[in-house]
Amino acid sequence: MQHAFAARFLLLQHLHAGHQSLAFRVRDTLLQQDAALKIGRSGLEDDDRTLAEFDALRAIDLPGVAPVLELGFASQGDLLRAHAAAHLPTPTHALLPRPFLVRAWIDGPDLLTWARQHHPAPQDLHRALASAALTLHLLHLSHLLHGDLKPQHILLPPGGEPTLIDFGLAAQTHDPTAGGTPGYLAPERLRGLPASPHAERFAFGVLAAQTLLPHLHIPTEQPLQPHHLPTDLPLPQRLLRALRALLHPDPLQRPALDDIASELIADLDTPQRHAPPPARPRRGAPRHRDHPQGRTPPPPRARPNAGA
């Protein structure tokens, strides 16, 4: 049985139930297309990440970010139907109107699933990571942080660009209240410092290493460190240095993500020279720009079979 929601959407598939929100795949009967719907659960406007996500994304127009289509407020009847569709207990108290947002549906696996189950060619994997790095770089230039960067929040649609989703923890740069996921939090975040583009560069370094190295263990009790990367990696030497630089414990030593995008695609059209067991020199690491401006390379295009 398909439950109706807000007189326009059919709840097709329950995706997630968390403390802050319920998420569904829905059918928009007006536009005749699928979409993703997220319903806030906190009931407190100043504590509702659904409103924060809409506010953060409404002015963002980037090809690598899933666009938000609509914001509304769910009635008590809508909320009861959503609980039923998610097989959650019926609330015994009165339900206040809750905000919901609708974003474009991205039909594809997340980055890690794509890398491990679809076995893309190395050049396709590098291009996908480069595209995601450039999107994140442009997001930072817009003074916005994703807030919870990890492979599960990057989707690979068939024949399309890697797309960032789930901005429920999105924040302005240097927001002290921004959250995250253990294992992807930079060392300074664990010391109580606010979120920053430098901290998200660290998170990108973790997800890039995790994607490129299937057997790499990501610790959750402490940050991944450069020396945790094996010394005999089958990666170009420049790329290995770039990954280590992203994991540097000093935030100011982490390279800008447009430089990382360039490193990821630098060797695609030339024979690769893999790294010998290194003495971990720091010379030659990608240059750092604290506030990157100016040159922005064109986004690398994924091959048509990237999400297949």
Side-chain angles (χ1 to χ4, degrees):
M1 176 183 177
Q2 292 181 341
H3 298 267
F5 187 91
R8 172 176 169 180
F9 305 101
L10 295 178
L11 302 177
L12 302 180
Q13 180 185 2
H14 174 231
L15 302 174
H16 171 75
H19 174 69
Q20 288 285 346
S21 64
L22 287 173
F24 293 89
R25 180 176 183 172
V26 299
R27 183 67 177 176
D28 186 334
T29 59
L30 179 63
L31 300 180
Q32 290 299 306
Q33 64 185 21
D34 286 2
L37 181 143
K38 180 185 289 186
I39 309 167
R41 299 186 72 184
S42 73
L44 300 174
E45 183 172 333
D46 60 354
D47 187 43
D48 199 302
R49 303 306 303 185
T50 309
L51 290 173
E53 181 173 356
F54 178 81
D55 188 58
L57 293 180
R58 61 181 176 176
I60 299 296
D61 183 18
L62 295 176
V65 175
V68 172
L69 306 176
E70 184 172 335
L71 176 71
F73 284 84
S75 68
Q76 179 167 316
D78 289 328
L79 294 170
L80 290 174
R81 285 187 287 274
H83 277 74
H87 303 290
L88 295 174
T90 300
T92 57
H93 57 281
L95 294 173
L96 298 175
R98 299 284 196 272
F100 69 87
L101 64 82
V102 182
R103 68 159 173 82
W105 177 255
I106 308 300
D107 194 7
D110 67 69
L111 178 65
L112 203 57
T113 299
W114 176 68
R116 295 186 177 179
Q117 295 185 10
H118 295 251
H119 308 292
Q123 59 267 30
D124 291 331
L125 190 55
H126 288 200
R127 284 193 179 94
L129 285 169
S131 180
L134 191 58
T135 295
L136 195 63
H137 170 71
L138 296 174
L139 199 69
H140 292 167
L141 290 181
S142 301
H143 306 289
L144 187 67
L145 304 173
H146 180 276
D148 192 17
L149 191 64
K150 54 186 176 182
Q152 292 80 5
H153 289 163
I154 302 176
L155 300 184
L156 275 294
E161 296 291 336
T163 303
L164 290 175
I165 64 165
D166 203 342
F167 282 74
L169 295 178
Q172 299 297 314
T173 53
H174 303 287
D175 183 349
T177 66
T181 296
Y184 300 91
L185 291 173
E188 66 271 18
R189 295 298 319 284
L190 297 178
R191 297 195 301 268
L193 294 181
S196 70
H198 300 92
E200 290 212 327
R201 293 174 191 175
F202 178 90
F204 185 85
V206 175
L207 76 84
Q210 185 180 20
T211 303
L212 292 167
L213 309 169
H215 303 294
L216 180 66
H217 170 67
I218 305 299
T220 57
E221 64 281 355
Q222 63 179 355
L224 189 68
Q225 299 180 36
H227 69 264
H228 289 157
L229 299 184
T231 59
D232 56 347
L233 298 178
L235 295 174
Q237 190 171 11
R238 287 167 47 181
L239 181 54
L240 176 58
R241 285 199 301 265
L243 288 177
R244 293 184 184 278
L246 284 172
L247 301 177
H248 200 287
D250 181 354
L252 296 181
Q253 297 300 317
R254 297 173 197 148
L257 289 175
D258 60 336
D259 282 339
I260 296 300
S262 297
E263 294 296 336
L264 281 161
I265 62 174
D267 296 311
L268 293 186
D269 298 322
T270 58
Q272 295 185 1
R273 293 189 301 169
H274 299 312
R280 299 206 303 272
R282 290 189 48 220
R283 296 183 183 274
R287 60 189 175 88
H288 159 262
R289 294 197 305 280
D290 192 15
H291 297 289
Q293 295 180 1
R295 176 186 63 84
T296 299
R301 302 292 299 177
R303 290 189 175 183
N305 63 348

